[in-house]
């Protein structure tokens, strides 16, 4: 070894040069630009890399997770539930928004149904049971007992209404007892004049605070009924719900709301074609017009191939017709794809072709890019075009979210939420375990139900469609609140390790290193008998 080689080694062995050296060729832990350029010949995904820790003064609990995806579209956590028919309808979208995120209502339903799903989210008042179970004065108490038994209700107090839905009184749980079963409700109810009610329009911007004050001012009263000007029943607050919500309000992440204090809601639309194979402009515009009327906060033009004329034309048309409406479009996995959709007028671009847990695009079409490389390439175009990026698919654990957020502004998850009680679909029992259905929007069943356009097929049963997704099951999981709490905890830990106080700093401070298969094994529990898994 000559003297020159010795002096090179000396330079490399300076401790500072080993990790975050100024010379990118010398650094072990590289910035996104240096790292992904060095691996330009290789498609990488989440498990292929790990993030280096950096000096930190940031405590995980103090990290800020807000993200503005477009003007007028600010989330308090960077997590979106996927526009899939086994993931997001109104119940999921409400749960996501209450936690500070966003749900995208899928489009495998009629346009009218989608409008009413959006309305449900936009009209949701947390804690207000908007359609309480009612009884009528001519029923017997025995009928009510049967109803409770049949529907397994855990409550026994019911508003009593007439045929027009006007409030007649309240049937208190104190009289819903077998000994009174032969009595008519009319003879046992608390009459209208003695029932505590509030007018819908008095609820104001913060209905929970209003209801909370009512319960404080009226000791012993546990139910508050909401009526309109004609005395129609419009809802019911219970003290226990209100107390639970009031306690939760100290939570770090506030619900994601619009300027009128309504929960945020997104909806997917497809680039629908008419019988001549042309973009069905009138239908798309009427559909999105309806969504906007209902208060939708963002539409997502969701297709498997976003870098295509149909998607570009749809985005351009929507941008022109609805200049203020935030638009998400995708999916792409190239810089050119991001630029194309950004130029068409999209604000946020979905990145991901084939990473999803139910996707078979890469197998069927031989197409798609491992997700982290796709995100890197897309992120450079997004920076240039000043659009935001959504990492769509392939998220299996909170560490994947942290890695995704080093390049993207938010993540879209399907599988992680598909087992939650808030996702659509029935729970089924197989060999003593509980499952829910989870299927790709490109699976045969989903395409038959309407999503064929997303994959460039016609929903024509006579023509054979090549599925690009599977029909699967997910084990029933915890509620969205709990699943999100785990994900958020992981994101905050990751940010603490990197010294990132907010998501912009996370993107800026991330340093990557490739892991070997042995390194991957080392990163998972090993050489133990695992009793409990939490990822
Ligand atoms: P995860 O991994 O969260 O992925 O379950 C959800 C994302 O997968 C995409 N998606 C599909 N991709 N064939 C595909 O190739 C499909 O049938 C399919 N269905 C959904 C979509 O981007 C979703 O958000």
């Amino acid at each position: 070894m000559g003297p020159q080689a010795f002096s090179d080694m000396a330079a490399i062995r300076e401790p500072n040069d080993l990790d975050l050296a100024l010379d990118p060729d010398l650094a072990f832990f590289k910035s996104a630009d240096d790292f992904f350029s060095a691996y330009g010949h290789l498609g990488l995904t989440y498990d292929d890399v790990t993030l280096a820790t950096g000096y930190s003064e940031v405590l995980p609990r103090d990290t800020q997770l807000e993200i503005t995806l477009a003007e007028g579209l600010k989330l308090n956590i960077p997590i979106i539930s996927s526009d899939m028919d086994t993931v997001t309808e109104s119940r999921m979208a409400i749960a996501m928004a209450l936690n500070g995120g966003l749900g995208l209502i899928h489009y495998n339903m009629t346009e009218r149904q989608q409008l009413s799903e959006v309305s449900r989210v936009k009209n949701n008042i947390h804690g207000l049971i908007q359609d309480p179970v009612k009884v009528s004065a001519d029923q017997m108490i025995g009928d009510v007992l049967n109803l409770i038994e049949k529907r397994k209700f855990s409550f026994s107090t019911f508003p009593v209404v007439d045929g027009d839905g006007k409030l007649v009184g309240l049937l208190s749980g104190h009289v819903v007892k077998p000994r009174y079963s032969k009595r008519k409700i009319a003879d046992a109810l608390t009459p209208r004049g003695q029932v505590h009610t509030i007018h819908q329009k008095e609820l104001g911007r913060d209905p929970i605070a209003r209801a909370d004050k009512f319960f404080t001012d009226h000791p012993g009263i546990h139910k508050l009924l909401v009526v309109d000007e004609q005395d129609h029943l419009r809802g019911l607050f219970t003290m226990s719900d209100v107390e639970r919500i009031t306690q939760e309000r100290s939570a770090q992440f506030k619900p994601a709301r619009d300027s009128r204090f309504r929960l945020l809601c997104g909806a997917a639309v497809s680039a629908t074609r008419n019988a001549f194979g042309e973009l069905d402009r009138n239908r798309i515009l009427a559909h999105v017009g309806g969504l906007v009327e209902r208060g939708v906060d963002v539409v997502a033009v969701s297709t498997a191939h976003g870098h295509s004329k149909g998607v570009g034309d749809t985005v351009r048309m929507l941008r022109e017709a609805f200049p203020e409406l935030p638009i998400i479009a995708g999916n792409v996995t190239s810089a050119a794809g991001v630029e194309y959709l950004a130029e068409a007028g999209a604000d946020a671009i979905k990145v991901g072709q084939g990473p999803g847990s139910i996707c078979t695009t890469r197998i069927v079409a031989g197409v798609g890019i491992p997700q982290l490389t796709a995100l890197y390439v897309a992120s450079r175009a997004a920076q240039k075009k000043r659009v935001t990026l959504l990492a769509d698919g392939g998220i299996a654990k909170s560490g994947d979210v942290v890695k995704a957020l080093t390049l993207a502004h938010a993540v879209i998850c399907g599988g992680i939420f598909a087992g939650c009680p808030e996702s659509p679909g029935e729970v089924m029992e197989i060999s003593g375990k509980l499952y829910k259905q989870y299927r790709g929007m490109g699976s045969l069943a989903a395409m038959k139900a309407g999503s064929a356009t997303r994959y460039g097929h016609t929903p024509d049963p006579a023509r054979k469609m090549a599925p690009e997704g599977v029909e699967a099951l997910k084990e029933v999981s915890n509620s969205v609140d709990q699943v999100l709490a785990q994900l958020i905890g992981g994101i905050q830990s990751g940010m603490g390790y990197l010294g990132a106080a907010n998501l912009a700093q996370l993107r800026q401070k991330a340093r990557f290193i490739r892991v070997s298969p042995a390194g991957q094994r080392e990163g998972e529990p090993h050489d133990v008998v695992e009793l409990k898994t939490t990822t």
Side-chain angles (χ1 to χ4, degrees):
M1 199 180 281
Q4 178 62 40
F6 269 114
S7 72
D8 282 355
M9 260 183 74
I12 289 170
R13 288 196 169 169
E14 274 300 307
N16 279 346
D17 280 347
L18 281 180
D19 42 30
L20 306 173
L22 289 179
D23 180 347
D25 288 337
L26 296 182
F28 270 50
F29 310 141
K30 295 183 197 291
S31 68
D33 281 329
D34 296 333
F35 178 79
F36 287 98
S37 306
Y39 283 99
H41 55 289
L42 195 62
L44 299 173
T45 193
Y46 298 123
D47 282 346
D48 290 320
V49 309
T50 188
L51 297 168
T53 53
Y55 170 71
S56 182
E57 293 183 4
V58 178
L59 290 176
R61 66 162 185 268
D62 295 333
T63 52
Q64 299 297 316
L65 300 187
E66 301 105 346
I67 187 76
T68 299
L69 294 178
E71 214 178 306
L73 186 67
K74 184 177 157 225
L75 307 188
N76 295 328
I77 60 164
I79 304 177
I80 298 173
S81 68
S82 204
D83 49 317
M84 297 173 72
D85 60 5
T86 45
V87 180
T88 311
E89 291 182 355
S90 52
R91 205 171 151 209
M92 175 65 69
I94 289 168
M96 290 300 298
L98 282 173
N99 280 284
L102 175 75
L104 297 175
I105 309 260
H106 70 86
Y107 55 47
N108 253 6
M109 56 177 100
T110 64
E111 286 155 13
R112 257 184 73 188
Q113 279 168 333
Q114 201 195 35
L115 295 185
S116 77
E117 287 296 303
V118 168
S119 290
R120 277 197 192 140
V121 184
K122 298 306 294 182
N123 295 333
N124 178 266
I125 297 175
H126 193 24
L128 174 66
I129 302 160
Q130 274 167 324
D131 193 13
V133 183
K134 302 162 273 265
V135 293
S136 69
D138 52 7
Q139 282 178 293
M140 310 298 282
I141 297 219
D143 298 334
V144 180
L145 287 165
N146 290 340
L147 183 74
I148 293 173
E149 166 71 21
K150 194 167 141 219
R151 309 234 334 240
K152 305 265 174 291
F153 289 143
S154 55
F155 51 88
S156 56
T157 297
F158 298 87
V160 185
V161 294
D162 67 13
D164 294 332
K166 285 192 183 171
L167 189 63
V168 175
L170 186 69
L171 184 67
S172 154
H174 297 128
V175 295
V176 182
K177 305 260 187 253
R179 72 171 72 241
Y180 307 125
S181 61
K182 297 259 164 0
R183 283 181 190 245
K184 248 185 154 183
I185 291 178
D187 302 330
L189 56 72
T190 310
R192 170 67 187 94
Q194 292 170 28
V195 176
H196 292 276
T197 57
I198 183 168
H199 272 162
Q200 212 170 15
K201 59 175 196 287
E202 286 175 66
L203 291 176
R205 277 172 68 87
D206 195 347
I208 284 289
R210 189 74 187 74
D212 193 43
K213 180 169 181 326
F214 168 86
F215 290 124
T216 309
D217 294 346
H218 297 81
I221 304 297
H222 293 176
K223 302 270 187 295
L224 173 62
L225 301 182
V226 181
V227 291
D228 65 13
E229 276 151 7
Q230 285 81 42
D231 217 31
H232 293 112
L233 180 68
R234 292 294 178 215
L236 163 70
F237 285 106
T238 72
M239 191 167 84
S240 53
D241 282 354
V242 169
E243 281 180 346
R244 182 178 46 78
I245 294 162
T246 314
Q247 275 161 16
E248 282 165 9
R249 283 207 166 169
S250 50
Q252 199 179 353
F253 299 101
K254 302 273 175 268
R257 296 191 188 277
D258 65 16
S259 55
R260 290 168 55 193
F261 214 66
R262 300 175 302 180
L263 293 179
L264 294 191
C265 180
V269 295
S270 69
T272 315
R273 294 184 179 273
N274 61 22
F276 308 105
E278 298 154 350
L279 216 54
D280 199 338
R281 289 172 178 271
N282 294 342
R283 186 166 161 192
I284 299 171
L285 286 175
H287 178 197
V288 174
L291 290 168
V292 169
E293 241 169 62
R294 306 290 173 114
V296 82
D297 299 282
V298 57
V299 292
V301 183
S302 274
T303 63
H305 187 19
H307 192 182
S308 59
K309 184 166 177 342
V311 180
D313 287 349
T314 306
V315 172
R316 246 184 305 277
M317 175 178 79
L318 293 178
R319 176 48 67 235
E320 209 171 284
F322 306 97
E324 309 286 313
L325 177 68
I327 300 176
I328 296 173
N331 283 22
V332 297
T333 46
S334 64
V338 171
E339 293 200 10
Y340 175 73
L341 291 176
E343 279 162 19
D347 303 287
I349 317 264
K350 292 209 265 175
V351 176
Q353 280 163 333
S357 56
I358 33 51
C359 300
T360 51
T361 296
R362 294 196 198 148
I363 298 167
V364 171
V367 163
I369 304 293
Q371 185 68 343
L372 215 48
T373 296
L375 285 174
Y376 172 69
V377 170
S379 70
R380 274 31 200 174
Q383 252 173 15
K384 181 169 141 204
K385 291 289 178 187
R386 299 183 170 279
V387 289
T388 50
L389 280 195
L390 310 177
D392 183 9
I395 300 284
K397 44 201 180 302
S398 54
D400 298 343
V401 183
V402 180
K403 292 173 192 174
L405 292 175
T406 62
L407 298 164
H409 299 82
V411 294
I412 300 185
C413 302
I416 273 188
F417 298 123
C420 295
E422 293 86 348
S423 72
E426 301 292 316
V427 172
M428 52 191 118
E429 189 179 335
I430 303 172
S431 310
K433 279 198 165 174
L434 300 178
Y435 297 91
K436 286 185 98 164
Q437 190 193 21
Y438 179 44
R439 67 185 186 192
M441 290 295 275
S443 65
L444 202 56
M447 285 207 286
K448 279 188 181 156
S451 61
T453 349
R454 180 183 184 127
Y455 290 84
H457 296 285
T458 37
D460 172 1
R463 289 194 53 188
K464 198 159 167 10
M465 300 184 269
E468 286 178 36
V470 296
E471 290 164 55
L473 295 175
K474 287 293 283 190
E475 234 180 279
V476 162
S477 68
N478 287 330
S479 67
V480 168
D481 291 6
Q482 287 162 299
V483 171
L484 280 174
Q486 284 288 321
L487 289 182
I488 291 167
I491 301 171
Q492 293 192 297
S493 295
M495 291 170 72
Y497 278 118
L498 267 67
N502 55 43
L503 293 175
Q505 287 184 13
L506 176 63
R507 291 195 297 279
Q508 180 213 330
K509 293 195 171 188
R511 295 291 179 272
F512 303 80
I513 190 156
R514 176 97 167 86
V515 271
S516 65
Q520 271 177 30
R521 279 198 301 280
E522 181 191 62
E524 291 164 7
H526 54 85
D527 302 314
V528 291
V529 178
E530 230 180 302
L531 293 177
K532 221 171 174 189
T533 315
T534 31
T535 41

